[in-house]
Every structure is written in C-alpha cells, then in structure tokens.
C-alpha cells in the first residue's frame, strides 16, 4: 500500500499521530529537485472521493496567498523548512480573527477545520516541503476562494478576489 492510500484509509482520530511520525527522509526525495524557482508546486500522492493527499513545495520567501478550504478539514504536516501561517477564523463574515504562527518539522500537525483557521496564507521562511491531507477532496465542483485582508479594529475584513 502506498503512503497516500495508507493515510487516506485512516480514520480522522488516527491521522494526526500517523502524520506526526513522518519525516522528510521517509519520502526518499531530494528537496532541491522539487523546489520550484518561484511560486509553489505539488505532488499528488492519492485522490479518491473521500480524501486527497499531496506534498507541497515552496522556495524560501514565496507565498501561497490567502485562501479558504470550503467545507474541508485539512491536516498539514511540515516535513522540511519553516513556514509562517497567517490564519483567519470567521467572526461574522466578512470579519475574522487573525493569528500568526510558525511551523517546522518539530511542530505538531496543524489542523484546519470548518470553524477554525479555515482561511490562511503560507509564507516559506526556508525552502519548504509539507504534506496535506484534505477531507473531502476538491471534487464535485468544490473550489477554494482567494481573499484580501485589511485591518478593521481588532478584527480583519476579508474580501474575496474575483
């Protein structure tokens, strides 16, 4: 069984501990071979009607812009490098609470769910590799939306980018 299929078969409660045990060396890949010159790239490990598993790569200083994961849960495991995650949790749309954290291979698995941290931006502080497990996957017309964020008192106003 491939790692992608193994992760997809796990129940939600078993996923974070299994992801936490993973190390970059488990993938037998050279990070330099997968870091794009700019922007980001991904390698799909598994896709079925219930789950998507993928590796993502960002060069130092690059971002994945502020986006959401509508009606999805996402488990993120940083395998190499460090990433600054700026996440938003809806207060009353279009207003949201903001938090900023840095994740690295020693950090716990980061969980995005429907009600918390569902909108986020990623900034690679080093060349970066991370694994995402999405449930359900981006199928059946499900798409993410990109946003801009502007301060609004102690909250942030989020506006979709058309």
């Amino acid at each position: 069984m491939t790692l992608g299929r193994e992760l997809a078969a796990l129940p939600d409660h078993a996923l974070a501990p299994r992801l936490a045990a993973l190390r970059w060396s488990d993938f037998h890949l050279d990070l330099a071979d997968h870091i794009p010159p700019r922007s980001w790239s991904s390698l799909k490990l598994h896709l079925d009607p219930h789950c998507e598993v993928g590796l993502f790569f960002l060069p130092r200083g690059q971002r994945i812009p502020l986006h959401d994961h509508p009606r999805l849960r996402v488990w993120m495991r940083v395998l190499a490098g460090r990433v600054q995650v700026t996440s938003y949790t809806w207060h009353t749309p279009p207003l949201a609470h903001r938090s900023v954290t840095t994740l690295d291979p020693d950090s716990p698995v980061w969980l995005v769910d429907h009600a918390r941290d569902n909108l986020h931006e990623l900034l690679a502080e080093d060349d970066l590799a991370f694994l995402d497990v999405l449930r359900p996957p981006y199928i059946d017309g499900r798409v993410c939306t990109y946003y801009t964020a502007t301060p609004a008192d102690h909250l942030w106003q989020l506006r979709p980018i058309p």
Side-chain angles (χ1 to χ4, degrees):
M1 177 182 288
T2 67
L3 177 63
R5 276 196 289 191
E6 174 194 337
L7 295 172
L10 290 173
D12 286 358
H13 72 273
L15 195 50
R18 177 63 179 109
L19 289 172
L22 290 174
R23 301 290 175 258
W24 175 245
S25 59
D26 297 333
F27 291 86
H28 307 287
L29 298 172
D30 183 348
L31 184 59
D33 290 342
H34 293 278
I35 295 294
R38 59 187 170 292
S39 189
W40 56 277
S41 65
S42 64
L43 179 64
K44 194 168 304 222
L45 302 181
H46 179 80
L47 176 63
D48 69 35
H50 308 288
C51 186
E52 183 174 343
V53 180
L55 280 171
F56 289 80
F57 306 95
L58 281 88
R60 181 176 182 256
Q62 292 296 305
R63 296 177 185 272
I64 294 180
L66 178 57
H67 63 284
D68 65 2
H69 292 284
R71 303 176 317 276
L72 274 75
R73 295 184 82 196
V74 181
W75 289 260
M76 178 183 175
R77 170 74 172 113
V78 175
L79 299 164
R82 286 177 308 153
V83 60
Q84 177 183 295
V85 180
T86 303
S87 61
Y88 299 84
T89 298
W90 288 119
H91 174 70
T92 304
L95 300 175
H97 296 278
R98 177 183 178 196
S99 63
V100 179
T101 191
T102 299
L103 302 173
D104 63 30
D106 294 325
S107 299
V109 172
W110 190 60
L111 175 63
V112 170
D113 67 24
H114 311 270
R116 185 181 54 79
D117 297 329
N118 193 270
L119 304 102
H120 53 266
E121 175 182 52
L122 308 176
L123 169 62
E125 294 182 355
D126 302 312
D127 286 351
L128 176 68
F130 65 90
L131 183 73
D132 266 1
V133 177
L134 293 84
R135 291 185 177 166
Y138 280 107
I139 57 175
D140 298 330
R142 189 183 315 265
V143 296
C144 73
T145 300
Y146 290 89
Y147 294 83
T148 60
T150 53
D153 284 330
H154 64 286
L155 298 172
W156 289 77
Q157 183 169 15
L158 304 182
R159 291 195 174 114
I161 297 173

